[in-house]
Amino acid sequence: MDVTPLVFLVVALVAASVFLLLFVHTDEPRSEAPRPALITQHYAPGDTVEQPTPYYAAPVPESPDPLEVSANTDKKALLAIALVFGLFAMMGAYYTLQTGIPIRAYAGTTMLDSSKQKQLDVSVEHGAETYASLCFDCHGKRGQGDVGVGLPLNRPDNKYRASCTATGQNDNGKTCKQSDDDAIRKFLTDTITRGRAFAAPRYSMPAWGRSESGQLNEEQVNQVVNFIMYGNWDRILQIREEQSLALEPNPPPTPKVPDPVTAGQQIASTTCIACHSFTPGTASANPLAPNLGHYATEGPFNDPLKALKASGDAAWLTKWVTNAPAIKPGTAMPKWEGVLTADQISWVVAYLQTLK
């Protein structure tokens, strides 16, 4: 129940009553003095006279009563004081009701808290509708990741942990702190917005954020995050049923595992080509980067990497692509760990080993 209109109505009625009580003039109207009779001119019969002009003498205005003037001035001052007091009283009452005194109608919460909760409830409901429409087939009926496609979202670690007490434990008996919820929110928001790539045959999480060419704006992403953190997962099937949608997930087909050499060539042609040339006899874009056209038979080209290969380490080329500076400090070859996945690095290595 929103009592804000009721509060303002009561304040307005009180102000109106004060106004009527103090400032409505209740004195009887002052009786005006009777006007004098018209003065007429009399002439003898046969006299030539001008057309008489009737006139009357205007009464001399009375001087204002000093006591009455003083009383009116006092009333105006009281009116100004009452208006100022009423304005500040309404502002104070509104601020107090919003942020201070718990309202019994809200079971001990303030109006501001109740408003925030209502906004959150609306956001959670919109997030549930978005999940039921876009996430259902991959993450499942209750977000448990039991479809075999998306990861589980309905986990205690993803729930809002307002119960994190001074002892540092939440309802799940796990260590927590105030910043945990912010970290969870950021992780969920970033993942939904940007997606999450995995190597086939594992499914990749698509990027849903509009900033990443997806179809959800920032508020819609925030609504989904609110549902994951605060929502009731039973609501998903209810929404699907209300919208006459299938009640069983329909997951997408399993991604095909790419050919390692072909996939490696695609990565090299879009990433490694910035520095290296893969055409024999053609100079590389970076003078410090060797031509890799015959790398399988002519490589490696630096002494630390040659020593690593001579040591019998079968993963020498994988280690080089993963973190070249760890093998040869100061090299122009960047560290690709964290930029490419382990599978993508293995594909690049497989492609390099075919360049004979």
Side-chain angles (χ1 to χ4, degrees):
M1 174 182 176
D2 189 359
V3 299
T4 303
L6 181 60
V7 171
F8 278 100
L9 179 60
V10 171
V11 173
L13 290 175
V14 171
S17 300
V18 172
F19 177 81
L20 291 174
L21 203 60
L22 295 178
F23 309 114
V24 174
H25 189 72
T26 58
D27 295 340
E28 295 184 1
R30 191 190 323 166
S31 58
E32 295 185 359
R35 294 182 178 181
L38 293 178
I39 300 176
T40 58
Q41 297 176 349
H42 302 280
Y43 297 90
D47 291 344
T48 302
V49 297
E50 297 179 357
Q51 180 67 31
T53 302
Y55 65 93
Y56 64 90
V60 178
E62 296 180 2
S63 298
D65 186 355
L67 295 178
E68 184 178 357
V69 172
S70 177
N72 289 336
T73 303
D74 291 342
K75 289 182 179 180
K76 292 178 181 179
L78 288 174
L79 174 60
I81 293 173
L83 290 176
V84 172
F85 175 79
L87 176 62
F88 280 98
M90 286 190 293
M91 292 173 59
Y94 182 78
Y95 179 80
T96 302
L97 292 175
Q98 285 284 355
T99 61
I101 302 175
I103 304 303
R104 189 171 300 175
Y106 295 131
T109 64
T110 63
M111 293 174 64
L112 182 61
D113 292 336
S114 178
S115 177
K116 288 181 178 179
Q117 184 62 46
K118 184 176 181 180
Q119 290 178 350
L120 178 60
D121 292 342
V122 172
S123 178
V124 168
E125 177 64 15
H126 289 326
E129 294 171 353
T130 301
Y131 179 96
S133 175
L134 302 177
C135 314
F136 178 82
D137 288 331
C138 292
H139 292 278
K141 304 175 183 178
R142 295 179 52 82
Q144 295 174 332
D146 51 0
V147 181
V149 180
L151 295 176
L153 300 175
N154 185 5
R155 305 186 306 147
D157 288 344
N158 284 348
K159 286 297 182 181
Y160 174 67
R161 286 166 288 187
S163 59
C164 187
T165 62
T167 61
Q169 287 192 339
N170 58 17
D171 288 339
N172 305 309
K174 292 187 176 182
T175 302
C176 61
K177 53 187 178 181
Q178 292 293 332
S179 60
D180 285 346
D181 289 322
D182 294 336
I184 291 296
R185 176 174 292 278
K186 184 178 187 305
F187 173 75
L188 293 174
T189 300
D190 290 345
T191 303
I192 296 172
T193 301
R194 303 172 186 172
R196 199 173 180 187
F198 297 103
R202 189 174 176 182
Y203 292 88
S204 292
M205 169 78 176
W208 290 104
R210 193 164 292 176
S211 60
E212 304 293 331
S213 301
Q215 63 186 87
L216 300 181
N217 58 35
E218 291 184 6
E219 180 58 26
Q220 290 172 316
V221 172
N222 183 62
Q223 290 167 355
V224 177
V225 172
N226 282 338
F227 170 71
I228 295 173
M229 296 184 69
Y230 297 90
N232 179 4
W233 289 92
D234 294 335
R235 182 70 182 125
I236 299 304
L237 284 180
Q238 295 174 0
I239 294 174
R240 299 279 298 187
E241 189 172 2
E242 291 169 1
Q243 297 179 355
S244 301
L245 299 174
L247 301 182
E248 294 296 329
N250 182 25
T254 304
K256 295 181 179 180
V257 178
D259 174 65
V261 175
T262 303
Q265 183 180 13
Q266 293 174 347
I267 295 173
S269 63
T270 57
T271 304
C272 309
I273 196 69
C275 294
H276 295 280
S277 172
F278 292 89
T279 303
T282 303
S284 298
N286 185 345
L288 299 177
N291 184 297
L292 302 180
H294 296 299
Y295 189 80
T297 54
E298 297 178 357
F301 300 116
N302 62 74
D303 294 337
L305 190 55
K306 289 178 180 179
L308 182 62
K309 180 180 179 182
S311 69
D313 190 340
W316 63 272
L317 185 51
T318 300
K319 292 181 178 179
W320 174 254
V321 177
T322 301
N323 190 359
I327 299 174
K328 183 185 178 183
T331 181
M333 174 75 169
K335 173 184 175 180
W336 287 103
E337 183 180 25
V339 179
L340 300 178
T341 65
D343 289 320
Q344 290 173 324
I345 291 176
S346 69
W347 298 339
V348 172
V349 170
Y351 170 63
L352 292 175
Q353 291 172 340
T354 65
L355 300 178
K356 300 179 180 180

